[in-house]
Short mmCIF file of all heavy atoms in Angstrom, two decimals:
data_model
loop_
_atom_site.label_atom_id
_atom_site.label_comp_id
_atom_site.label_asym_id
_atom_site.label_seq_id
_atom_site.Cartn_x
_atom_site.Cartn_y
_atom_site.Cartn_z
N ALA Y 154 -81.62 -147.87 75.80
CA ALA Y 154 -81.51 -149.27 76.36
C ALA Y 154 -82.72 -150.08 75.89
O ALA Y 154 -82.56 -151.39 75.80
CB ALA Y 154 -81.49 -149.12 77.95
N GLU Y 155 -83.82 -149.43 75.70
CA GLU Y 155 -85.05 -150.28 75.31
C GLU Y 155 -85.09 -150.64 73.87
O GLU Y 155 -85.87 -151.55 73.42
CB GLU Y 155 -86.26 -149.49 75.65
CG GLU Y 155 -86.57 -149.38 77.17
CD GLU Y 155 -87.60 -148.27 77.47
OE1 GLU Y 155 -87.89 -147.48 76.63
OE2 GLU Y 155 -88.00 -148.29 78.61
N CYS Y 156 -84.24 -149.98 72.93
CA CYS Y 156 -84.35 -150.23 71.53
C CYS Y 156 -84.03 -151.62 71.22
O CYS Y 156 -84.74 -152.24 70.29
CB CYS Y 156 -83.31 -149.36 70.80
SG CYS Y 156 -83.92 -147.64 70.57
N ASP Y 157 -83.13 -152.35 71.85
CA ASP Y 157 -82.78 -153.71 71.55
C ASP Y 157 -83.95 -154.73 71.81
O ASP Y 157 -83.94 -155.82 71.26
CB ASP Y 157 -81.52 -154.16 72.29
CG ASP Y 157 -80.33 -153.44 71.68
OD1 ASP Y 157 -80.43 -153.07 70.51
OD2 ASP Y 157 -79.33 -153.32 72.31
N ARG Y 158 -84.74 -154.46 72.73
CA ARG Y 158 -85.76 -155.38 73.12
C ARG Y 158 -87.23 -154.81 72.91
O ARG Y 158 -88.16 -155.28 73.56
CB ARG Y 158 -85.64 -155.93 74.59
CG ARG Y 158 -85.44 -154.70 75.53
CD ARG Y 158 -85.16 -155.24 76.96
NE ARG Y 158 -84.67 -154.10 77.80
CZ ARG Y 158 -85.40 -153.33 78.51
NH1 ARG Y 158 -86.75 -153.40 78.44
NH2 ARG Y 158 -84.90 -152.31 79.20
N GLU Y 159 -87.32 -153.94 71.96
CA GLU Y 159 -88.62 -153.32 71.75
C GLU Y 159 -89.53 -154.32 70.89
O GLU Y 159 -89.10 -154.78 69.80
CB GLU Y 159 -88.43 -152.04 70.88
CG GLU Y 159 -89.62 -151.24 70.70
CD GLU Y 159 -89.45 -150.21 69.55
OE1 GLU Y 159 -88.42 -150.23 68.91
OE2 GLU Y 159 -90.38 -149.41 69.40
N PRO Y 160 -90.75 -154.63 71.33
CA PRO Y 160 -91.51 -155.46 70.58
C PRO Y 160 -92.16 -154.77 69.35
O PRO Y 160 -92.51 -153.52 69.35
CB PRO Y 160 -92.69 -155.88 71.54
CG PRO Y 160 -92.71 -154.75 72.54
CD PRO Y 160 -91.37 -154.16 72.59
N LEU Y 161 -92.26 -155.43 68.23
CA LEU Y 161 -92.99 -154.88 66.99
C LEU Y 161 -94.23 -155.74 66.80
O LEU Y 161 -94.29 -156.87 67.11
CB LEU Y 161 -92.04 -154.94 65.91
CG LEU Y 161 -90.66 -154.22 65.97
CD1 LEU Y 161 -89.83 -154.46 64.67
CD2 LEU Y 161 -90.92 -152.78 66.26
N PHE Y 162 -95.23 -155.03 66.14
CA PHE Y 162 -96.47 -155.69 65.98
C PHE Y 162 -96.89 -155.49 64.54
O PHE Y 162 -96.65 -154.38 63.93
CB PHE Y 162 -97.55 -155.13 66.92
CG PHE Y 162 -97.15 -155.26 68.37
CD1 PHE Y 162 -96.46 -154.32 69.01
CD2 PHE Y 162 -97.60 -156.39 69.12
CE1 PHE Y 162 -96.06 -154.39 70.37
CE2 PHE Y 162 -97.24 -156.52 70.39
CZ PHE Y 162 -96.50 -155.60 71.04
N PRO Y 163 -97.62 -156.42 63.96
CA PRO Y 163 -98.15 -156.17 62.55
C PRO Y 163 -99.14 -155.02 62.58
O PRO Y 163 -99.92 -154.81 63.59
CB PRO Y 163 -98.91 -157.42 62.25
CG PRO Y 163 -98.83 -158.29 63.40
CD PRO Y 163 -98.05 -157.75 64.46
N LEU Y 164 -99.14 -154.23 61.52
CA LEU Y 164 -100.01 -153.01 61.44
C LEU Y 164 -100.70 -153.10 60.09
O LEU Y 164 -100.08 -152.82 59.07
CB LEU Y 164 -99.19 -151.77 61.59
CG LEU Y 164 -99.88 -150.47 61.56
CD1 LEU Y 164 -100.88 -150.37 62.69
CD2 LEU Y 164 -98.92 -149.24 61.69
N ARG Y 165 -101.96 -153.59 60.16
CA ARG Y 165 -102.66 -153.80 58.88
C ARG Y 165 -104.07 -153.13 58.96
O ARG Y 165 -104.86 -153.45 59.88
CB ARG Y 165 -102.80 -155.33 58.68
CG ARG Y 165 -101.49 -156.03 58.50
CD ARG Y 165 -101.63 -157.46 58.22
NE ARG Y 165 -102.34 -158.18 59.22
CZ ARG Y 165 -102.90 -159.36 59.06
NH1 ARG Y 165 -102.82 -160.04 57.97
NH2 ARG Y 165 -103.52 -159.95 60.13
N LEU Y 166 -104.38 -152.33 57.93
CA LEU Y 166 -105.71 -151.67 57.87
C LEU Y 166 -106.58 -152.68 57.09
O LEU Y 166 -106.19 -153.17 56.07
CB LEU Y 166 -105.59 -150.39 57.11
CG LEU Y 166 -106.95 -149.56 57.10
CD1 LEU Y 166 -107.21 -149.01 58.54
CD2 LEU Y 166 -106.67 -148.27 56.19
N ALA Y 167 -107.76 -152.92 57.66
CA ALA Y 167 -108.67 -153.88 56.96
C ALA Y 167 -110.10 -153.38 56.88
O ALA Y 167 -110.49 -152.40 57.61
CB ALA Y 167 -108.67 -155.18 57.90
N ARG Y 168 -110.80 -154.03 56.07
CA ARG Y 168 -112.29 -153.66 55.83
C ARG Y 168 -113.11 -154.89 55.95
O ARG Y 168 -112.67 -155.97 55.43
CB ARG Y 168 -112.32 -153.02 54.41
CG ARG Y 168 -113.69 -152.75 53.96
CD ARG Y 168 -113.62 -152.21 52.52
NE ARG Y 168 -114.97 -151.99 51.93
CZ ARG Y 168 -115.71 -152.93 51.40
NH1 ARG Y 168 -115.24 -154.15 51.25
NH2 ARG Y 168 -116.95 -152.63 50.95
N CYS Y 169 -114.24 -154.80 56.58
CA CYS Y 169 -115.13 -155.86 56.59
C CYS Y 169 -116.04 -155.89 55.34
O CYS Y 169 -116.78 -154.89 55.18
CB CYS Y 169 -116.02 -155.80 57.90
SG CYS Y 169 -117.32 -157.06 57.95
N PRO Y 170 -116.01 -156.98 54.58
CA PRO Y 170 -116.84 -156.94 53.40
C PRO Y 170 -118.36 -157.03 53.75
O PRO Y 170 -119.12 -156.64 52.91
CB PRO Y 170 -116.40 -158.23 52.61
CG PRO Y 170 -115.67 -159.06 53.59
CD PRO Y 170 -115.17 -158.14 54.69
N ARG Y 171 -118.71 -157.55 54.93
CA ARG Y 171 -120.12 -157.63 55.30
C ARG Y 171 -120.76 -156.29 55.71
O ARG Y 171 -121.64 -155.86 55.15
CB ARG Y 171 -120.34 -158.71 56.38
CG ARG Y 171 -121.74 -159.01 56.59
CD ARG Y 171 -122.02 -160.30 57.24
NE ARG Y 171 -121.96 -160.21 58.72
CZ ARG Y 171 -121.80 -161.27 59.58
NH1 ARG Y 171 -121.73 -162.50 59.09
NH2 ARG Y 171 -121.74 -161.02 60.84
N CYS Y 172 -120.15 -155.67 56.77
CA CYS Y 172 -120.68 -154.40 57.29
C CYS Y 172 -119.92 -153.18 56.77
O CYS Y 172 -120.31 -152.08 57.09
CB CYS Y 172 -120.69 -154.43 58.75
SG CYS Y 172 -119.16 -154.28 59.62
N THR Y 173 -118.83 -153.39 56.06
CA THR Y 173 -117.96 -152.32 55.48
C THR Y 173 -117.27 -151.44 56.49
O THR Y 173 -116.61 -150.46 56.11
CB THR Y 173 -118.78 -151.43 54.45
OG1 THR Y 173 -119.58 -150.43 55.18
CG2 THR Y 173 -119.67 -152.17 53.45
N HIS Y 174 -117.19 -151.85 57.74
CA HIS Y 174 -116.45 -151.09 58.74
C HIS Y 174 -114.92 -151.26 58.53
O HIS Y 174 -114.45 -152.31 58.30
CB HIS Y 174 -116.86 -151.60 60.13
CG HIS Y 174 -116.19 -150.87 61.28
ND1 HIS Y 174 -116.05 -149.47 61.24
CD2 HIS Y 174 -115.64 -151.26 62.35
CE1 HIS Y 174 -115.42 -149.06 62.40
NE2 HIS Y 174 -115.17 -150.13 63.04
N VAL Y 175 -114.25 -150.11 58.63
CA VAL Y 175 -112.72 -150.12 58.50
C VAL Y 175 -112.10 -150.14 59.89
O VAL Y 175 -112.51 -149.40 60.76
CB VAL Y 175 -112.34 -148.93 57.70
CG1 VAL Y 175 -110.85 -148.79 57.59
CG2 VAL Y 175 -112.89 -148.97 56.19
N GLN Y 176 -111.06 -151.03 59.97
CA GLN Y 176 -110.51 -151.29 61.34
C GLN Y 176 -109.12 -151.89 61.20
O GLN Y 176 -108.71 -152.17 60.12
CB GLN Y 176 -111.42 -152.28 62.10
CG GLN Y 176 -111.67 -153.57 61.37
CD GLN Y 176 -112.98 -154.29 61.76
OE1 GLN Y 176 -112.94 -154.91 62.78
NE2 GLN Y 176 -113.97 -154.31 60.92
N LEU Y 177 -108.44 -152.11 62.29
CA LEU Y 177 -107.16 -152.82 62.26
C LEU Y 177 -107.47 -154.22 62.33
O LEU Y 177 -108.40 -154.77 62.92
CB LEU Y 177 -106.32 -152.40 63.48
CG LEU Y 177 -105.67 -151.10 63.58
CD1 LEU Y 177 -104.57 -151.12 64.72
CD2 LEU Y 177 -105.07 -150.70 62.28
#
Side-chain angles (χ1 to χ4, degrees):
E155 288 162 349
C156 281
D157 287 337
R158 50 188 164 83
E159 185 196 9
L161 300 180
F162 301 90
L164 184 58
R165 298 182 299 164
L166 188 67
R168 171 183 178 274
C169 174
R171 187 159 88 192
C172 72
T173 75
H174 182 43
V175 174
Q176 57 202 286
L177 287 191

